[in-house]
Amino acid sequence: MTSTNEQRVLDMVPKGLLIGGQWRESSDGKSLDVIDPATGTVLTSIADASESDGLDAIAAAHEAQAEWAATAPRYRAELLRSAFERVNELADDFAFLMSLEMGKPVAEARGEVSYGNEFIRWFSEEAPRVTGRYGTAPDGKNRILVLKRPVGPSLFITPWNFPLAMATRKIGPAIATGCTMILKPAAQTPLTSLLLASVLQDLGLPPGVLNVIPTSRAGAVTGPIIKDGRLRKLSFTGSTAVGQRLIRDSADRVLRTSMELGGNAPLIVFDDANIDKAVEGALLAKLRNMGEACTAANRFIVHESVAEEFSRRVASRMSKLKMARGTVPDANIGPLIDEPSRQAVHRLVEDAVAEGAKIMTGGQLPEGGGYFYPPTVLTNVSPDSDILHEEIFGPVAPVVTFTSEEEAIGLANATEYGLVAYAFTEDLNRGLRLAEKLEVGMLGLNTGLVSNPAAPFGGIKSSGLGREGGFEGIDEYLETVYVGIADPLA
Ligand code: NAP
């Protein structure tokens, strides 16, 4: 039965599409069910955007673009700042809603609200700081003027694992720079985006600046928008396979793209590590979001002299965690997003065990409803096991051992992905060597968490293109224009 608080929070969410400042039904009258992953039951239904709704959204974004770009940076900054304050006021409701549709424990969802909202604050501070430059050419004659302007209407496609933060990382800089946008949230977690859009709209975001089109027909709805000459940018967060396809689709129009894709993060524990810190870091890097994070530690590469102690302590801590619906007050581990995801995680565990891995904790599908999977530690994992080569996206920690730094770096780099790595060592020079040699966009040194709105988030290799957050994040929404000027003194 739906609790009073649950119903109240669900009632706060507009159930329509937001296009040109109006909330409306889908043009073909279809609706989309949002499922509670803890029970498999329907939470609520919302409008399911059609292809023609998508085209209406790009028309609305295009129509609003020129006037929006002409607004004062200070005005856009203040709007973002008000949104930051308002999301803070509603933080408990956002967290509860996110837990309902995505499954993570409410306390963890509260952490995402703080993290996601920080992007709004960060970009409110960046909005008035976009500048160009003026200088003299090396020969002392011509002048060089460089100016920045908004890239224009942008399409955002976001995943289900961080329903608020993945949206604010894009909406924040787009508002700051004066871009209009269309947000297509994941079909499984559209409610958080709809609530955020209603907050921005209530604060006076002009019609057409942000359009939100949840849909069960992702490719059919976004494909025509990507081909439309009015769109100027695509920013995608999701799997590498879908990202590759979208890069191909964007090629015809040479669309600006930002791609935040999959990961296969190594977490390396050296023999000189502080093991207490390594265990804490491992739990954080593995269990944040039940392991359903692009930044989740996927491979535990541990020096053979500390592997036994490290694995035993991680397994002991994991075995004590409470698995429950995210809204249960002392829940530590919520359900995975759906049954296919749970089966995919279990298949990786079963394959690894068939190839000789030993289960230290977890590894069994629990009885009962919902898509739960227990925190699991595997040792003696064969180097060829799929679990070391695929993104697990679940609370499973496979441990392999090494004997030399060179071997650890080789193992860490043996993947097509290059998003993040974690390393635990008390040797600063070794830490710096790793920063230079690991093939990743981000390195957590003696920490299991790198995400920070003030830092450039992003990957190399098949993990993506571009950066979100930091000083770099705003450039993704700016075009650079150079004006060559004849010597004004001549
Ligand atoms: P996904 O299947 O790639 O979906 C991501 C988004 O793309 C969803 O909105 C999805 O819509 C949409 N989509 C799917 N097929 C599409 C198509 N043909 N055309 C246009 N849009 C399409 O990924 P996911 O399972 O939601 O998320 C998990 C993945 O995201 C993992 O690989 C994870 O590593 C990655 N991720 C990366 C970062 C990062 O910053 N690097 C952050 C978070 C997650 P539907 O919901 O309708 O399928």
Side-chain angles (χ1 to χ4, degrees), residues 157-161 166 169 184-188 215 218-219 222 236-239 242 245-246 260-263 294 391 393 419 457:
I157 303 179
T158 53
W160 48 263
N161 57 350
M166 297 303 100
R169 291 207 300 202
K184 192 220 79 66
Q188 286 165 310
T215 179
T222 59
F236 171 75
T237 301
S239 60
V242 173
R245 181 181 167 161
L246 293 174
E260 298 286 351
L261 309 178
C294 52
E391 201 175 16
F393 245 57
L419 187 61
F457 186 105

PDB file of all heavy atoms in Angstrom, residues 157-161 166 169 184-188 215 218-219 222 236-239 242 245-246 260-263 294 391 393 419 457, ligand 1:
ATOM      1  N   ILE A 157      20.533  13.444 -23.089  1.00  0.00           N
ATOM      2  CA  ILE A 157      19.987  12.089 -22.867  1.00  0.00           C
ATOM      3  C   ILE A 157      20.694  11.538 -21.632  1.00  0.00           C
ATOM      4  O   ILE A 157      21.926  11.483 -21.588  1.00  0.00           O
ATOM      5  CB  ILE A 157      20.232  11.189 -24.093  1.00  0.00           C
ATOM      6  CG1 ILE A 157      19.620  11.816 -25.352  1.00  0.00           C
ATOM      7  CG2 ILE A 157      19.655   9.796 -23.846  1.00  0.00           C
ATOM      8  CD1 ILE A 157      19.827  11.021 -26.638  1.00  0.00           C
ATOM      9  N   THR A 158      19.916  11.183 -20.609  1.00  0.00           N
ATOM     10  CA  THR A 158      20.520  10.825 -19.315  1.00  0.00           C
ATOM     11  C   THR A 158      20.114   9.408 -18.874  1.00  0.00           C
ATOM     12  O   THR A 158      19.072   8.902 -19.283  1.00  0.00           O
ATOM     13  CB  THR A 158      20.102  11.847 -18.231  1.00  0.00           C
ATOM     14  OG1 THR A 158      18.673  11.960 -18.230  1.00  0.00           O
ATOM     15  CG2 THR A 158      20.716  13.202 -18.494  1.00  0.00           C
ATOM     16  N   PRO A 159      20.946   8.789 -18.010  1.00  0.00           N
ATOM     17  CA  PRO A 159      20.677   7.417 -17.559  1.00  0.00           C
ATOM     18  C   PRO A 159      19.847   7.400 -16.274  1.00  0.00           C
ATOM     19  O   PRO A 159      19.575   8.449 -15.686  1.00  0.00           O
ATOM     20  CB  PRO A 159      22.081   6.885 -17.291  1.00  0.00           C
ATOM     21  CG  PRO A 159      22.823   8.077 -16.781  1.00  0.00           C
ATOM     22  CD  PRO A 159      22.239   9.282 -17.473  1.00  0.00           C
ATOM     23  N   TRP A 160      19.526   6.207 -15.807  1.00  0.00           N
ATOM     24  CA  TRP A 160      18.652   6.059 -14.649  1.00  0.00           C
ATOM     25  C   TRP A 160      19.404   6.039 -13.322  1.00  0.00           C
ATOM     26  O   TRP A 160      18.788   6.106 -12.267  1.00  0.00           O
ATOM     27  CB  TRP A 160      17.824   4.756 -14.781  1.00  0.00           C
ATOM     28  CG  TRP A 160      18.677   3.569 -15.142  1.00  0.00           C
ATOM     29  CD1 TRP A 160      18.859   3.074 -16.407  1.00  0.00           C
ATOM     30  CD2 TRP A 160      19.506   2.793 -14.274  1.00  0.00           C
ATOM     31  NE1 TRP A 160      19.761   2.024 -16.363  1.00  0.00           N
ATOM     32  CE2 TRP A 160      20.165   1.829 -15.064  1.00  0.00           C
ATOM     33  CE3 TRP A 160      19.752   2.807 -12.903  1.00  0.00           C
ATOM     34  CZ2 TRP A 160      21.053   0.899 -14.536  1.00  0.00           C
ATOM     35  CZ3 TRP A 160      20.642   1.882 -12.372  1.00  0.00           C
ATOM     36  CH2 TRP A 160      21.278   0.936 -13.179  1.00  0.00           C
ATOM     37  N   ASN A 161      20.736   5.909 -13.348  1.00  0.00           N
ATOM     38  CA  ASN A 161      21.420   5.611 -12.076  1.00  0.00           C
ATOM     39  C   ASN A 161      21.580   6.828 -11.159  1.00  0.00           C
ATOM     40  O   ASN A 161      21.599   6.674  -9.941  1.00  0.00           O
ATOM     41  CB  ASN A 161      22.749   4.883 -12.310  1.00  0.00           C
ATOM     42  CG  ASN A 161      23.704   5.632 -13.188  1.00  0.00           C
ATOM     43  OD1 ASN A 161      23.334   6.634 -13.807  1.00  0.00           O
ATOM     44  ND2 ASN A 161      24.932   5.169 -13.264  1.00  0.00           N
ATOM     45  N   MET A 166      22.839  13.576 -13.039  1.00  0.00           N
ATOM     46  CA  MET A 166      23.179  13.488 -14.461  1.00  0.00           C
ATOM     47  C   MET A 166      22.453  14.578 -15.254  1.00  0.00           C
ATOM     48  O   MET A 166      22.926  15.011 -16.304  1.00  0.00           O
ATOM     49  CB  MET A 166      22.847  12.107 -15.022  1.00  0.00           C
ATOM     50  CG  MET A 166      23.626  10.965 -14.383  1.00  0.00           C
ATOM     51  SD  MET A 166      25.430  11.117 -14.474  1.00  0.00           S
ATOM     52  CE  MET A 166      25.825  11.715 -12.843  1.00  0.00           C
ATOM     53  N   ARG A 169      24.214  18.253 -14.189  1.00  0.00           N
ATOM     54  CA  ARG A 169      25.545  18.455 -14.785  1.00  0.00           C
ATOM     55  C   ARG A 169      25.431  19.060 -16.182  1.00  0.00           C
ATOM     56  O   ARG A 169      26.390  19.631 -16.693  1.00  0.00           O
ATOM     57  CB  ARG A 169      26.281  17.116 -14.924  1.00  0.00           C
ATOM     58  CG  ARG A 169      26.682  16.498 -13.630  1.00  0.00           C
ATOM     59  CD  ARG A 169      27.889  15.595 -13.744  1.00  0.00           C
ATOM     60  NE  ARG A 169      27.751  14.475 -14.644  1.00  0.00           N
ATOM     61  CZ  ARG A 169      28.514  13.381 -14.546  1.00  0.00           C
ATOM     62  NH1 ARG A 169      29.427  13.295 -13.588  1.00  0.00           N
ATOM     63  NH2 ARG A 169      28.388  12.396 -15.396  1.00  0.00           N
ATOM     64  N   LYS A 184      15.882  14.394 -22.332  1.00  0.00           N
ATOM     65  CA  LYS A 184      15.194  13.097 -22.386  1.00  0.00           C
ATOM     66  C   LYS A 184      15.770  12.221 -21.269  1.00  0.00           C
ATOM     67  O   LYS A 184      16.832  11.634 -21.406  1.00  0.00           O
ATOM     68  CB  LYS A 184      15.396  12.394 -23.733  1.00  0.00           C
ATOM     69  CG  LYS A 184      14.447  11.209 -23.873  1.00  0.00           C
ATOM     70  CD  LYS A 184      15.051   9.994 -24.507  1.00  0.00           C
ATOM     71  CE  LYS A 184      15.897   9.127 -23.682  1.00  0.00           C
ATOM     72  NZ  LYS A 184      15.274   8.390 -22.567  1.00  0.00           N
ATOM     73  N   PRO A 185      15.052  12.166 -20.143  1.00  0.00           N
ATOM     74  CA  PRO A 185      15.560  11.345 -19.044  1.00  0.00           C
ATOM     75  C   PRO A 185      15.351   9.865 -19.341  1.00  0.00           C
ATOM     76  O   PRO A 185      14.602   9.509 -20.246  1.00  0.00           O
ATOM     77  CB  PRO A 185      14.686  11.783 -17.858  1.00  0.00           C
ATOM     78  CG  PRO A 185      13.415  12.255 -18.470  1.00  0.00           C
ATOM     79  CD  PRO A 185      13.743  12.779 -19.852  1.00  0.00           C
ATOM     80  N   ALA A 186      16.010   9.005 -18.558  1.00  0.00           N
ATOM     81  CA  ALA A 186      15.811   7.566 -18.727  1.00  0.00           C
ATOM     82  C   ALA A 186      14.349   7.220 -18.480  1.00  0.00           C
ATOM     83  O   ALA A 186      13.708   7.783 -17.582  1.00  0.00           O
ATOM     84  CB  ALA A 186      16.697   6.805 -17.750  1.00  0.00           C
ATOM     85  N   ALA A 187      13.832   6.264 -19.250  1.00  0.00           N
ATOM     86  CA  ALA A 187      12.423   5.879 -19.125  1.00  0.00           C
ATOM     87  C   ALA A 187      12.127   5.324 -17.728  1.00  0.00           C
ATOM     88  O   ALA A 187      11.007   5.428 -17.237  1.00  0.00           O
ATOM     89  CB  ALA A 187      12.077   4.846 -20.195  1.00  0.00           C
ATOM     90  N   GLN A 188      13.154   4.741 -17.077  1.00  0.00           N
ATOM     91  CA  GLN A 188      12.898   4.121 -15.767  1.00  0.00           C
ATOM     92  C   GLN A 188      12.872   5.129 -14.620  1.00  0.00           C
ATOM     93  O   GLN A 188      12.327   4.832 -13.563  1.00  0.00           O
ATOM     94  CB  GLN A 188      13.943   3.031 -15.509  1.00  0.00           C
ATOM     95  CG  GLN A 188      13.659   1.790 -16.353  1.00  0.00           C
ATOM     96  CD  GLN A 188      14.831   0.831 -16.416  1.00  0.00           C
ATOM     97  OE1 GLN A 188      15.950   1.245 -16.706  1.00  0.00           O
ATOM     98  NE2 GLN A 188      14.586  -0.437 -16.152  1.00  0.00           N
ATOM     99  N   THR A 215      10.209   9.339 -22.559  1.00  0.00           N
ATOM    100  CA  THR A 215       9.609   8.493 -23.592  1.00  0.00           C
ATOM    101  C   THR A 215      10.070   7.058 -23.428  1.00  0.00           C
ATOM    102  O   THR A 215      11.166   6.803 -22.932  1.00  0.00           O
ATOM    103  CB  THR A 215       9.989   9.001 -25.008  1.00  0.00           C
ATOM    104  OG1 THR A 215       9.407   8.128 -25.978  1.00  0.00           O
ATOM    105  CG2 THR A 215      11.495   9.056 -25.229  1.00  0.00           C
ATOM    106  N   ALA A 218      13.065   5.769 -27.044  1.00  0.00           N
ATOM    107  CA  ALA A 218      14.229   6.666 -27.036  1.00  0.00           C
ATOM    108  C   ALA A 218      14.775   6.954 -28.437  1.00  0.00           C
ATOM    109  O   ALA A 218      14.901   8.112 -28.836  1.00  0.00           O
ATOM    110  CB  ALA A 218      15.325   6.068 -26.155  1.00  0.00           C
ATOM    111  N   GLY A 219      15.086   5.894 -29.180  1.00  0.00           N
ATOM    112  CA  GLY A 219      15.709   6.091 -30.498  1.00  0.00           C
ATOM    113  C   GLY A 219      14.778   6.780 -31.468  1.00  0.00           C
ATOM    114  O   GLY A 219      15.184   7.699 -32.196  1.00  0.00           O
ATOM    115  N   THR A 222      14.473  10.576 -30.282  1.00  0.00           N
ATOM    116  CA  THR A 222      15.670  11.438 -30.331  1.00  0.00           C
ATOM    117  C   THR A 222      16.316  11.436 -31.726  1.00  0.00           C
ATOM    118  O   THR A 222      16.963  12.417 -32.097  1.00  0.00           O
ATOM    119  CB  THR A 222      16.722  11.011 -29.287  1.00  0.00           C
ATOM    120  OG1 THR A 222      17.107   9.657 -29.534  1.00  0.00           O
ATOM    121  CG2 THR A 222      16.192  11.147 -27.869  1.00  0.00           C
ATOM    122  N   PHE A 236      25.355  13.278 -23.923  1.00  0.00           N
ATOM    123  CA  PHE A 236      24.802  11.966 -23.564  1.00  0.00           C
ATOM    124  C   PHE A 236      25.552  11.388 -22.380  1.00  0.00           C
ATOM    125  O   PHE A 236      26.792  11.438 -22.339  1.00  0.00           O
ATOM    126  CB  PHE A 236      24.931  11.032 -24.773  1.00  0.00           C
ATOM    127  CG  PHE A 236      24.596   9.589 -24.464  1.00  0.00           C
ATOM    128  CD1 PHE A 236      23.275   9.185 -24.287  1.00  0.00           C
ATOM    129  CD2 PHE A 236      25.602   8.633 -24.343  1.00  0.00           C
ATOM    130  CE1 PHE A 236      22.966   7.852 -24.000  1.00  0.00           C
ATOM    131  CE2 PHE A 236      25.301   7.300 -24.053  1.00  0.00           C
ATOM    132  CZ  PHE A 236      23.978   6.910 -23.878  1.00  0.00           C
ATOM    133  N   THR A 237      24.835  10.816 -21.433  1.00  0.00           N
ATOM    134  CA  THR A 237      25.450  10.001 -20.385  1.00  0.00           C
ATOM    135  C   THR A 237      24.757   8.655 -20.414  1.00  0.00           C
ATOM    136  O   THR A 237      23.527   8.578 -20.311  1.00  0.00           O
ATOM    137  CB  THR A 237      25.286  10.651 -18.996  1.00  0.00           C
ATOM    138  OG1 THR A 237      25.893  11.941 -19.027  1.00  0.00           O
ATOM    139  CG2 THR A 237      25.983   9.814 -17.926  1.00  0.00           C
ATOM    140  N   GLY A 238      25.544   7.605 -20.540  1.00  0.00           N
ATOM    141  CA  GLY A 238      24.952   6.270 -20.595  1.00  0.00           C
ATOM    142  C   GLY A 238      25.993   5.260 -21.031  1.00  0.00           C
ATOM    143  O   GLY A 238      27.196   5.473 -20.878  1.00  0.00           O
ATOM    144  N   SER A 239      25.519   4.176 -21.624  1.00  0.00           N
ATOM    145  CA  SER A 239      26.426   3.079 -21.963  1.00  0.00           C
ATOM    146  C   SER A 239      27.276   3.432 -23.186  1.00  0.00           C
ATOM    147  O   SER A 239      26.870   4.232 -24.045  1.00  0.00           O
ATOM    148  CB  SER A 239      25.620   1.817 -22.241  1.00  0.00           C
ATOM    149  OG  SER A 239      24.753   2.059 -23.323  1.00  0.00           O
ATOM    150  N   VAL A 242      25.437   2.621 -26.634  1.00  0.00           N
ATOM    151  CA  VAL A 242      24.485   3.634 -27.122  1.00  0.00           C
ATOM    152  C   VAL A 242      25.250   4.906 -27.516  1.00  0.00           C
ATOM    153  O   VAL A 242      24.951   5.538 -28.540  1.00  0.00           O
ATOM    154  CB  VAL A 242      23.376   3.920 -26.082  1.00  0.00           C
ATOM    155  CG1 VAL A 242      22.500   5.076 -26.524  1.00  0.00           C
ATOM    156  CG2 VAL A 242      22.522   2.673 -25.847  1.00  0.00           C
ATOM    157  N   ARG A 245      26.682   4.666 -30.958  1.00  0.00           N
ATOM    158  CA  ARG A 245      25.633   4.809 -31.960  1.00  0.00           C
ATOM    159  C   ARG A 245      25.248   6.290 -32.134  1.00  0.00           C
ATOM    160  O   ARG A 245      25.054   6.780 -33.254  1.00  0.00           O
ATOM    161  CB  ARG A 245      24.427   3.989 -31.481  1.00  0.00           C
ATOM    162  CG  ARG A 245      23.313   4.034 -32.419  1.00  0.00           C
ATOM    163  CD  ARG A 245      22.156   3.242 -31.906  1.00  0.00           C
ATOM    164  NE  ARG A 245      21.036   3.613 -32.748  1.00  0.00           N
ATOM    165  CZ  ARG A 245      19.955   2.907 -32.866  1.00  0.00           C
ATOM    166  NH1 ARG A 245      19.840   1.795 -32.203  1.00  0.00           N
ATOM    167  NH2 ARG A 245      18.976   3.307 -33.644  1.00  0.00           N
ATOM    168  N   LEU A 246      25.173   7.006 -31.020  1.00  0.00           N
ATOM    169  CA  LEU A 246      24.787   8.416 -31.101  1.00  0.00           C
ATOM    170  C   LEU A 246      25.888   9.264 -31.753  1.00  0.00           C
ATOM    171  O   LEU A 246      25.600  10.231 -32.452  1.00  0.00           O
ATOM    172  CB  LEU A 246      24.446   8.951 -29.702  1.00  0.00           C
ATOM    173  CG  LEU A 246      23.181   8.339 -29.077  1.00  0.00           C
ATOM    174  CD1 LEU A 246      23.007   8.808 -27.639  1.00  0.00           C
ATOM    175  CD2 LEU A 246      21.934   8.705 -29.903  1.00  0.00           C
ATOM    176  N   GLU A 260      29.559  10.931 -21.850  1.00  0.00           N
ATOM    177  CA  GLU A 260      29.992  10.363 -20.562  1.00  0.00           C
ATOM    178  C   GLU A 260      29.546   8.913 -20.586  1.00  0.00           C
ATOM    179  O   GLU A 260      28.360   8.626 -20.407  1.00  0.00           O
ATOM    180  CB  GLU A 260      29.333  11.121 -19.401  1.00  0.00           C
ATOM    181  CG  GLU A 260      29.699  12.594 -19.320  1.00  0.00           C
ATOM    182  CD  GLU A 260      31.112  12.827 -18.798  1.00  0.00           C
ATOM    183  OE1 GLU A 260      31.756  11.878 -18.335  1.00  0.00           O
ATOM    184  OE2 GLU A 260      31.576  13.983 -18.879  1.00  0.00           O
ATOM    185  N   LEU A 261      30.485   8.003 -20.820  1.00  0.00           N
ATOM    186  CA  LEU A 261      30.098   6.619 -21.123  1.00  0.00           C
ATOM    187  C   LEU A 261      30.508   5.646 -20.018  1.00  0.00           C
ATOM    188  O   LEU A 261      30.733   6.035 -18.883  1.00  0.00           O
ATOM    189  CB  LEU A 261      30.677   6.231 -22.491  1.00  0.00           C
ATOM    190  CG  LEU A 261      30.357   7.236 -23.628  1.00  0.00           C
ATOM    191  CD1 LEU A 261      30.992   6.811 -24.934  1.00  0.00           C
ATOM    192  CD2 LEU A 261      28.853   7.419 -23.795  1.00  0.00           C
ATOM    193  N   GLY A 262      30.603   4.391 -20.363  1.00  0.00           N
ATOM    194  CA  GLY A 262      30.812   3.342 -19.361  1.00  0.00           C
ATOM    195  C   GLY A 262      32.217   3.338 -18.770  1.00  0.00           C
ATOM    196  O   GLY A 262      33.118   4.025 -19.241  1.00  0.00           O
ATOM    197  N   GLY A 263      32.384   2.542 -17.721  1.00  0.00           N
ATOM    198  CA  GLY A 263      33.688   2.435 -17.061  1.00  0.00           C
ATOM    199  C   GLY A 263      33.977   1.002 -16.656  1.00  0.00           C
ATOM    200  O   GLY A 263      33.100   0.131 -16.725  1.00  0.00           O
ATOM    201  N   CYS A 294      28.984   4.468 -13.072  1.00  0.00           N
ATOM    202  CA  CYS A 294      30.068   4.365 -14.062  1.00  0.00           C
ATOM    203  C   CYS A 294      31.413   4.399 -13.355  1.00  0.00           C
ATOM    204  O   CYS A 294      32.399   3.884 -13.850  1.00  0.00           O
ATOM    205  CB  CYS A 294      29.958   5.514 -15.054  1.00  0.00           C
ATOM    206  SG  CYS A 294      29.852   7.100 -14.228  1.00  0.00           S
ATOM    207  N   GLU A 391      31.414  -4.230 -17.520  1.00  0.00           N
ATOM    208  CA  GLU A 391      30.961  -3.365 -16.440  1.00  0.00           C
ATOM    209  C   GLU A 391      29.945  -4.168 -15.616  1.00  0.00           C
ATOM    210  O   GLU A 391      28.919  -4.590 -16.143  1.00  0.00           O
ATOM    211  CB  GLU A 391      30.302  -2.138 -17.083  1.00  0.00           C
ATOM    212  CG  GLU A 391      30.224  -0.959 -16.191  1.00  0.00           C
ATOM    213  CD  GLU A 391      29.674   0.265 -16.924  1.00  0.00           C
ATOM    214  OE1 GLU A 391      29.084   0.151 -18.010  1.00  0.00           O
ATOM    215  OE2 GLU A 391      29.843   1.357 -16.364  1.00  0.00           O
ATOM    216  N   PHE A 393      28.063  -3.362 -12.847  1.00  0.00           N
ATOM    217  CA  PHE A 393      26.863  -2.594 -12.477  1.00  0.00           C
ATOM    218  C   PHE A 393      26.058  -3.293 -11.389  1.00  0.00           C
ATOM    219  O   PHE A 393      24.821  -3.390 -11.448  1.00  0.00           O
ATOM    220  CB  PHE A 393      26.005  -2.293 -13.710  1.00  0.00           C
ATOM    221  CG  PHE A 393      25.950  -0.810 -13.984  1.00  0.00           C
ATOM    222  CD1 PHE A 393      27.131  -0.090 -14.174  1.00  0.00           C
ATOM    223  CD2 PHE A 393      24.754  -0.119 -14.021  1.00  0.00           C
ATOM    224  CE1 PHE A 393      27.110   1.276 -14.393  1.00  0.00           C
ATOM    225  CE2 PHE A 393      24.719   1.255 -14.242  1.00  0.00           C
ATOM    226  CZ  PHE A 393      25.904   1.944 -14.429  1.00  0.00           C
ATOM    227  N   LEU A 419      37.740   5.588 -17.551  1.00  0.00           N
ATOM    228  CA  LEU A 419      37.030   6.656 -16.835  1.00  0.00           C
ATOM    229  C   LEU A 419      37.778   7.038 -15.561  1.00  0.00           C
ATOM    230  O   LEU A 419      38.247   8.159 -15.413  1.00  0.00           O
ATOM    231  CB  LEU A 419      35.609   6.197 -16.512  1.00  0.00           C
ATOM    232  CG  LEU A 419      34.687   7.262 -15.925  1.00  0.00           C
ATOM    233  CD1 LEU A 419      34.502   8.420 -16.894  1.00  0.00           C
ATOM    234  CD2 LEU A 419      33.315   6.675 -15.575  1.00  0.00           C
ATOM    235  N   PHE A 457      34.904  16.103 -14.618  1.00  0.00           N
ATOM    236  CA  PHE A 457      34.520  14.692 -14.602  1.00  0.00           C
ATOM    237  C   PHE A 457      34.473  14.193 -16.039  1.00  0.00           C
ATOM    238  O   PHE A 457      33.812  14.780 -16.890  1.00  0.00           O
ATOM    239  CB  PHE A 457      33.131  14.558 -13.957  1.00  0.00           C
ATOM    240  CG  PHE A 457      32.692  13.138 -13.746  1.00  0.00           C
ATOM    241  CD1 PHE A 457      32.713  12.576 -12.480  1.00  0.00           C
ATOM    242  CD2 PHE A 457      32.261  12.354 -14.813  1.00  0.00           C
ATOM    243  CE1 PHE A 457      32.310  11.268 -12.277  1.00  0.00           C
ATOM    244  CE2 PHE A 457      31.863  11.033 -14.618  1.00  0.00           C
ATOM    245  CZ  PHE A 457      31.891  10.493 -13.339  1.00  0.00           C
TER     246      PHE A 457
HETATM  247  P1  NAP B   1      21.845   3.328 -21.630  1.00  0.00           P
HETATM  248  O1  NAP B   1      21.078   2.095 -21.879  1.00  0.00           O
HETATM  249  O2  NAP B   1      22.916   3.693 -22.588  1.00  0.00           O
HETATM  250  O3  NAP B   1      20.761   4.500 -21.539  1.00  0.00           O
HETATM  251  C1  NAP B   1      21.109   5.823 -21.280  1.00  0.00           C
HETATM  252  C2  NAP B   1      20.091   6.741 -21.912  1.00  0.00           C
HETATM  253  O4  NAP B   1      20.119   6.557 -23.337  1.00  0.00           O
HETATM  254  C3  NAP B   1      18.658   6.469 -21.485  1.00  0.00           C
HETATM  255  O5  NAP B   1      17.978   7.694 -21.409  1.00  0.00           O
HETATM  256  C4  NAP B   1      18.133   5.614 -22.622  1.00  0.00           C
HETATM  257  O6  NAP B   1      16.744   5.645 -22.763  1.00  0.00           O
HETATM  258  C5  NAP B   1      18.813   6.286 -23.796  1.00  0.00           C
HETATM  259  N1  NAP B   1      18.886   5.452 -24.990  1.00  0.00           N
HETATM  260  C6  NAP B   1      18.959   4.106 -25.085  1.00  0.00           C
HETATM  261  N2  NAP B   1      19.011   3.739 -26.385  1.00  0.00           N
HETATM  262  C7  NAP B   1      18.966   4.876 -27.116  1.00  0.00           C
HETATM  263  C8  NAP B   1      18.983   5.165 -28.518  1.00  0.00           C
HETATM  264  N3  NAP B   1      19.057   4.218 -29.437  1.00  0.00           N
HETATM  265  N4  NAP B   1      18.919   6.455 -28.915  1.00  0.00           N
HETATM  266  C9  NAP B   1      18.849   7.446 -28.009  1.00  0.00           C
HETATM  267  N5  NAP B   1      18.827   7.244 -26.675  1.00  0.00           N
HETATM  268  C10 NAP B   1      18.890   5.971 -26.233  1.00  0.00           C
HETATM  269  O7  NAP B   1      22.543   3.333 -20.206  1.00  0.00           O
HETATM  270  P2  NAP B   1      21.870   3.021 -18.812  1.00  0.00           P
HETATM  271  O8  NAP B   1      21.717   1.550 -18.688  1.00  0.00           O
HETATM  272  O9  NAP B   1      20.694   3.885 -18.592  1.00  0.00           O
HETATM  273  O10 NAP B   1      22.998   3.567 -17.828  1.00  0.00           O
HETATM  274  C11 NAP B   1      24.079   2.815 -17.471  1.00  0.00           C
HETATM  275  C12 NAP B   1      25.301   3.196 -18.280  1.00  0.00           C
HETATM  276  O11 NAP B   1      25.570   4.580 -18.141  1.00  0.00           O
HETATM  277  C13 NAP B   1      26.543   2.502 -17.773  1.00  0.00           C
HETATM  278  O12 NAP B   1      27.312   2.037 -18.840  1.00  0.00           O
HETATM  279  C14 NAP B   1      27.277   3.613 -17.022  1.00  0.00           C
HETATM  280  O13 NAP B   1      28.655   3.409 -16.914  1.00  0.00           O
HETATM  281  C15 NAP B   1      26.936   4.797 -17.832  1.00  0.00           C
HETATM  282  N6  NAP B   1      27.100   6.027 -17.051  1.00  0.00           N
HETATM  283  C16 NAP B   1      28.162   6.836 -17.338  1.00  0.00           C
HETATM  284  C17 NAP B   1      28.358   7.979 -16.587  1.00  0.00           C
HETATM  285  C18 NAP B   1      29.521   8.872 -16.886  1.00  0.00           C
HETATM  286  O14 NAP B   1      29.472  10.019 -16.444  1.00  0.00           O
HETATM  287  N7  NAP B   1      30.549   8.435 -17.582  1.00  0.00           N
HETATM  288  C19 NAP B   1      27.479   8.320 -15.574  1.00  0.00           C
HETATM  289  C20 NAP B   1      26.402   7.472 -15.302  1.00  0.00           C
HETATM  290  C21 NAP B   1      26.221   6.329 -16.068  1.00  0.00           C
HETATM  291  P3  NAP B   1      15.836   4.485 -22.092  1.00  0.00           P
HETATM  292  O15 NAP B   1      15.810   4.816 -20.665  1.00  0.00           O
HETATM  293  O16 NAP B   1      14.530   4.575 -22.744  1.00  0.00           O
HETATM  294  O17 NAP B   1      16.533   3.187 -22.377  1.00  0.00           O
END
